[in-house]
Amino acid sequence: MEHVPALDEDLKKTLGPATAKVLAEQLGLHTALDLLHHYPRKYAERGELTALTELADQLDEHVTVVAQVADARILTFNGGRGKRLEVTITDGNGRLQLVFFGAGVHKPHKDLLPGTRAMFAGKVGMFNRKLQLSHPAYEPLGADAADQDAATAFAGRLIPIYPACAKLESWKIAKCVDAVLPSAGETVDPLPPALREGRGLLPLTEALLKIHRPATKADVEDARQRLKWDEAFVLQIALARRRHADSQLPAVPRRPAPGGLLDAFDAKLPFTLTEGQQTVSQEIFDDLATDHPMHRLLQGEVGSGKTMVALRAMLAVVDCGGQAAMLAPTEVLAQQHHRSITEMMGDLAEGGMLGGSDRGTKVVLLTGSMGMPARRQALLDLVTGEAGIVIGTHALIEDKVQFHDLGLVVVDEQHRFGVEQRDALRSKGKQPPHLLVMTATPIPRTVAMTVFGDLETSVLDQLPAGRSPIATHVVPAKDKPHFLARAWERVREEVEKGHQAYVVCPRIGDEEAADPKKKSAEADGDKRPPLAVLEIAEELRRGPLAGLSVEVLHGRMDPADKDDVMRRFAAGEVKVLVATTVIEVGVNVPNSTVMVIMDADRFGVSQLHQLRGRVGRGSAPGLCLLVSEMHEASPARARLAAVAATLDGFELSRIDLEQRREGDVLGQAQSGVRSSLRMLAVIDDEEVITQAREEATRVVAEDPELERLPGLKLALDALLDTEREQYLEKG
């Protein structure tokens, strides 16, 4: 009888150590169950030829194509000593060249006769401006099958094309799947029977068989629908349980005192809050007044005034005797927040100090690089309650940091912090403090619901009055070098008008000192290394911006030097700041009107939008120039054109997510763990996610411990194993 591997059986036993090693190292597949959930990414029909015209977008990637041999010829070189086989394949729309060299030409020459249809797998390369696959692996499609019945069956079948790697082609993965497919019958169905039947979904075993070995396209569609539900529902159960657990925790209600600190602050404001700021503030105040912890995500456009909303929430908590902590991802950002908050509060930030307001409080900064006396004083102010507000980096999480009465934690740029850091700060309250999470990367509603499903969401989509529009243009430095020269002229013109400029580069430029191998490895590659802050700053000082005050800012500088540069830039002494993405969030210098982003194609869409938000923060219009050497028809240039075409961050983040893999959306790329979303696309499957959230909320309300649903509990434990502990907190 054929061996049926157990679902948790190591693949070594079923497939042998060599194949199992490749599956584990290259694709993260360790058990029979892992392999069953490694779904085909598409299907080829034997009568249908795969599009070769799409390969231009997949340069340097491993691809599998189904095509027919148009012609094959052997050429000689080196006076007849060298042989090269060139095979041209076609799918009816496009053509592609395959090349084989040396002793390896004879077998493919015999196998790949004109008219032969086959699957080919290899890395897309470029030679003489033409796309090619060099030494691809191939598998003829049934033409010479000994058994005619088998060939006929094969001819009518959909051929699964699996996500593959250089060492294991798609058809070899298909054979591996065949070996574990009998164990599909052992899988435990996570969906409650009533839900599955009510929505007309396939049983799990049937869905797995149909996704891997479909007879028709309808089989594929039915299987996908079922497997999407599994992923959406199990994830939403995890989030619903977290919401449920949080709702059971006690918290101290924090209601602002009439005539207190918040009212005094509002009275000083030289402008009126936007309608959006007022609405969101009210949502937060309502949450703070309840006796279980607030969990709210505050997201909004760059420059929409999130810091103002967060500050008012902190003041409300201080009003009733509590303390508030703001956690920032970098020292530059923590210092910037501290500076802008103390400026906004004026004498209200000097409580207990000479000249301070009698209704004020102390606002302290706590970062890892502070001198010991200042650090000691800050710690003392926190433990005594003298300081109502603290702004800091990871230093806030250390054991020795103690609060008198921590009532609110504000986390800025959520995606930079894992669950342990967020929870370590929350654990410093006598009772769980309220939590406000801020992100300046606008997130489409579905993604917010998937990634931050344990948080209520508030959105700020209005810009405050007085903010200026930002014009964005792509500067094609290679095709039109005079455009780049004009960009530097524009920078000089803005400085002469009394404004300031940023120049952003992807790299610092002192990496060879830290790692000499790194630069030589980059130099040996086809691509030049990314442009660097230190090199560009020097070129600008000597060349197009000679005579202007040009300074650098990057993450490896001494913190005191960083703060000094930022202070002088904010004061207008430094005219041009050449920086890495340390300026991406929170840096607020209203006099900066122009930003030049070098090698802009090296940044993501949302990151470019973030960076661009640093200019146009005052009354003068902003200008952002995206410099790139990429070809006009490349996907990278299409991304830059999208950024130039709209200032709508929600629209851009949708474009960004459509171009990236789901794993990135869920933070898995950062944590090194494969995404558990293999079938669900958070942008496209909005309806499934919404319905799954409703079902999950109902199930958890009735059975929080899932005692009546053992299959679901098993699936949940698999999602939240120790490796994926951070899963829910990453975005």
Side-chain angles (χ1 to χ4, degrees), residues 600-638:
D601 48 272
R602 307 252 183 175
F603 300 98
V605 169
S606 295
Q607 197 172 28
L608 291 170
H609 182 58
Q610 285 277 43
L611 286 164
R612 166 171 67 183
R614 301 306 107 208
V615 296
R617 299 178 79 87
S619 53
L623 173 66
C624 179
L625 302 173
L626 307 174
V627 180
S628 172
E629 292 186 358
M630 297 303 279
H631 190 271
E632 191 171 2
S634 66
R637 278 285 292 277

Side-chain angles (χ1 to χ4, degrees), residues 96-375:
L96 178 69
Q97 193 172 65
L98 318 176
V99 289
F100 301 85
F101 293 98
V105 303
H106 301 295
K107 188 171 186 321
H109 193 216
K110 198 170 69 182
D111 293 342
L112 301 176
L113 301 171
T116 304
R117 187 173 285 126
M119 276 198 287
F120 302 91
K123 192 177 184 181
V124 182
M126 181 79 82
F127 181 71
N128 278 347
R129 298 197 160 194
K130 281 188 176 172
L131 293 173
Q132 67 170 29
L133 299 184
S134 181
H135 276 282
Y138 60 88
E139 177 95 334
L141 291 180
D144 57 352
D147 184 341
Q148 203 51 47
D149 290 344
T152 309
F154 191 91
R157 207 177 69 197
L158 292 167
I159 304 161
I161 308 289
Y162 287 92
C165 59
K167 293 182 180 175
L168 211 60
E169 295 87 14
S170 170
W171 53 87
K172 290 184 182 168
I173 292 173
K175 287 173 183 169
C176 296
V177 170
D178 283 338
V180 300
L181 213 46
S183 32
E186 307 297 313
T187 51
V188 181
D189 200 322
L191 293 191
L195 188 159
R196 184 171 59 73
E197 288 156 18
R199 295 194 174 269
L201 299 169
L202 296 180
L204 180 57
T205 299
E206 195 181 331
L208 289 170
L209 293 173
K210 283 186 171 176
I211 200 75
H212 289 292
R213 299 295 173 261
T216 64
K217 288 182 176 177
D219 282 355
V220 176
E221 199 39 55
D222 291 347
R224 281 180 193 247
Q225 204 51 33
R226 161 63 216 241
L227 295 167
K228 281 178 181 182
W229 254 94
D230 278 20
E231 290 176 3
F233 184 66
V234 174
L235 175 59
Q236 291 299 341
I237 283 284
L239 295 166
R241 288 185 76 199
R242 189 172 177 91
R243 286 196 302 275
H244 182 269
D246 286 335
S247 72
Q248 306 303 305
L249 292 172
V252 178
R254 311 279 179 174
R255 297 181 182 88
L261 182 56
L262 178 61
D263 285 352
F265 175 74
D266 283 349
K268 285 170 70 98
L269 284 179
F271 52 83
T272 309
L273 295 175
T274 65
E275 196 181 321
Q277 284 175 317
Q278 290 175 21
T279 305
V280 170
S281 286
Q282 195 52 56
E283 288 172 353
I284 291 170
F285 293 151
D286 291 346
D287 283 357
L288 290 174
T290 61
D291 54 10
H292 58 83
M294 167 174 81
H295 280 79
R296 190 166 282 280
L297 171 70
L298 172 56
Q299 62 159 324
E301 278 294 3
V302 177
S304 58
K306 291 181 298 296
T307 308
M308 172 61 71
V309 169
L311 175 56
R312 294 183 74 239
M314 293 196 284
L315 296 175
V317 168
V318 175
D319 248 354
C320 51
Q323 291 169 294
M326 180 184 267
L327 185 60
T330 65
E331 293 209 350
V332 167
L333 190 50
Q335 288 159 350
Q336 179 76 31
H337 275 318
H338 182 254
R339 193 180 297 116
S340 63
I341 283 173
T342 49
E343 281 170 10
M344 280 195 280
M345 287 176 65
D347 62 353
L348 294 173
E350 296 167 359
M353 295 156 75
L354 202 62
S357 163
D358 54 0
R359 283 189 289 184
T361 187
K362 219 172 184 183
V363 179
V364 298
L365 177 69
L366 188 64
T367 63
S369 64
M370 280 169 70
M372 194 43 81
R375 188 180 173 78

Side-chain angles (χ1 to χ4, degrees), residues 461-637:
D461 49 14
Q462 279 177 295
L463 291 186
R467 288 297 299 262
S468 301
I470 305 169
T472 308
H473 302 285
V474 179
V475 177
K478 205 168 194 172
D479 310 344
K480 299 176 179 170
H482 60 286
F483 275 38
L484 182 58
R486 176 70 189 122
W488 300 128
E489 285 172 17
R490 284 290 291 114
V491 170
R492 193 176 269 284
E493 285 164 14
E494 286 299 309
V495 171
E496 283 166 1
K497 286 184 201 165
H499 299 306
Q500 291 160 275
Y502 297 101
V503 177
V504 180
C505 302
R507 194 165 63 96
I508 296 172
D510 60 357
E511 290 83 356
E512 58 274 26
D515 184 358
K517 289 180 194 165
K518 191 170 177 184
K519 186 159 192 195
S520 60
E522 280 178 330
D524 290 344
D526 296 340
K527 287 170 101 174
R528 63 160 172 76
L531 295 172
V533 166
L534 300 178
E535 293 157 15
I536 292 292
E538 199 47 47
E539 282 176 29
L540 293 176
R541 287 187 192 115
R542 284 202 313 264
L545 303 184
L548 300 184
S549 157
V550 177
E551 294 275 3
V552 301
L553 183 73
H554 59 76
R556 278 210 282 273
M557 285 167 64
D558 179 84
D561 294 343
K562 267 194 282 197
D563 199 37
D564 177 57
V565 170
M566 267 319 298
R567 188 186 53 71
R568 288 189 294 118
F569 186 65
E573 296 164 27
V574 173
K575 299 301 178 189
V576 180
L577 189 63
V578 184
T580 55
T581 55
V582 291
I583 60 149
E584 181 184 347
V585 283
V587 173
N588 183 23
V589 179
N591 192 43
S592 303
T593 55
V594 62
M595 174 178 286
V596 181
I597 304 179
M598 307 302 291
D599 278 350
D601 48 272
R602 307 252 183 175
F603 300 98
V605 169
S606 295
Q607 197 172 28
L608 291 170
H609 182 58
Q610 285 277 43
L611 286 164
R612 166 171 67 183
R614 301 306 107 208
V615 296
R617 299 178 79 87
S619 53
L623 173 66
C624 179
L625 302 173
L626 307 174
V627 180
S628 172
E629 292 186 358
M630 297 303 279
H631 190 271
E632 191 171 2
S634 66
R637 278 285 292 277

